[in-house]
């Protein structure tokens, strides 16, 4: 990995013919993702870009059209729930989709070096990381080992939920997703600039484990892709 040599997100050395077919605009990329999710939900996935021919075609370079910053939960496999294949999604996963330095660096790499036009924060109902943070907060105990780092990263979302009077776990999850969107933009001026220039958008979506459906809960720019997003829910300036 290297710093981007061409500000503006245009990929240099990895350009291939496959680039032409990948969505290069945020709205198109989001439309591709939601279309794939609808196929998955309806039980009619196409499993695109998973054949041997495509595997060979993308071996020389990648042009993913979306970065997924998702929870590590084993039921949240991005390529499956969005019905995509090799070379489509640049996936970064941690328990509770926490956004530490390595995550931020990975997102910046995809957006600036690979030219990926969309960043999606992917959370889900019944998230164990959020539940662990809530238990830790309620009991005043710190979990053992490095699990404490995950809990610590989720705690600001718990405090925000408390301040907003939200107490149910899935409501807290939605706040945590919006909080992660804000954290990405606040901690990464590189990403914020890409968004300000209109080359990228950041969307937070909540996935329902049983139904398989994703639902947008936050977006920057606000109203991106005509999302029904509460006003100000993902305004970086309001971040706790
Ligand atoms: Zn989770």
């Amino acid at each position: 990995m290297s710093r981007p040599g061409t500000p503006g997100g245009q990929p240099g050395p990895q350009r291939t013919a496959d680039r032409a077919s990948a969505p290069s605009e945020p709205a198109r990329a989001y439309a591709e993702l939601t279309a794939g999710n609808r196929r998955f939900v309806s039980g009619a996935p196409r499993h695109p870009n998973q054949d041997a021919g495509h595997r060979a075609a993308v071996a020389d370079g990648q042009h993913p059209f979306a970065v997924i910053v998702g929870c590590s939960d084993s039921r949240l496999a991005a390529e499956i729930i969005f019905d995509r294949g090799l070379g489509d999604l640049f996936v970064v996963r941690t328990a509770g989709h926490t956004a530490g330095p390595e995550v931020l660096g990975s997102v910046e790499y995809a957006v600036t070096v690979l030219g990926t036009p969309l960043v999606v924060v992917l959370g889900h109902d019944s998230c164990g990381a959020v539940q662990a943070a809530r238990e830790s907060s309620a009991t005043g105990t710190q979990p053992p080992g490095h699990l404490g780092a995950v809990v610590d990263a989720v705690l600001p979302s718990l405090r925000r939920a408390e301040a907003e009077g939200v107490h149910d776990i899935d409501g807290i999850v939605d706040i945590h997703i919006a909080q992660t969107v804000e954290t990405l933009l606040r901690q990464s001026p590189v990403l914020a600039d890409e968004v300000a220039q209109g080359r990228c958008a950041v969307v937070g979506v909540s996935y329902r484990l049983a139904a398989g459906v994703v639902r947008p809960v936050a977006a920057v720019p606000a109203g991106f892709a005509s999302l029904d997003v509460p006003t100000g829910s993902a305004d970086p300036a309001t971040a706790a």
Side-chain angles (χ1 to χ4, degrees):
M1 187 187 298
S2 63
R3 294 291 300 162
T6 53
Q10 295 307 308
Q14 299 189 43
R15 183 183 295 274
T16 71
D18 185 61
R19 177 71 178 164
S21 62
S24 59
E25 297 175 357
R28 249 194 84 203
Y30 186 71
E32 283 286 338
L33 271 190
T34 54
N37 180 245
R38 284 194 295 272
R39 294 194 300 271
F40 169 69
V41 170
S42 67
R46 292 207 310 255
H47 307 295
N49 298 339
Q50 297 183 18
D51 57 287
H54 187 76
R55 183 181 68 218
V58 297
D60 290 337
Q62 60 169 328
H63 307 289
F65 66 84
V67 184
I68 309 293
V69 179
C71 181
S72 299
D73 192 292
S74 60
R75 299 160 293 183
L76 209 60
E79 281 85 356
I80 294 176
I81 71 170
F82 292 117
D83 191 29
R84 299 305 316 184
L86 299 173
D88 291 333
L89 308 178
F90 192 93
V91 183
V92 190
R93 294 173 71 178
T94 64
H97 47 82
T98 58
E102 293 88 352
V103 171
L104 292 166
S106 300
V107 171
E108 290 181 0
Y109 173 72
V111 170
T112 64
V113 179
L114 303 179
T116 307
L118 178 68
V119 177
V120 174
V121 174
L122 176 63
H124 63 100
D125 54 349
S126 309
C127 182
V130 175
Q131 289 173 322
R134 190 161 72 159
E135 283 178 26
S136 176
S137 179
T139 61
T141 57
Q142 184 79 350
H146 293 292
L147 186 52
V150 175
V151 164
D152 287 345
V154 178
L155 284 178
S157 299
L158 287 185
R159 288 195 289 268
R160 177 170 161 182
E162 184 77 21
E164 296 181 8
V166 176
H167 302 292
D168 67 292
I169 185 67
D170 293 337
I172 297 171
V173 163
D174 284 0
I175 287 174
H176 182 51
I177 293 168
Q179 183 86 5
T180 304
V181 169
E182 294 168 9
T183 299
L184 291 175
L185 289 161
R186 187 176 65 250
Q187 298 292 338
S188 174
V190 171
L191 175 62
D193 183 60
E194 292 291 318
V195 172
Q197 299 297 324
R199 291 189 289 260
C200 187
V202 184
V203 181
V205 302
S206 184
Y207 175 80
R208 297 202 73 82
L209 293 172
V213 179
V214 293
R215 170 177 52 86
V217 299
V220 178
F224 166 75
S226 303
L227 303 180
D228 182 19
V229 176
T231 304
S233 69
D235 181 350
T238 66

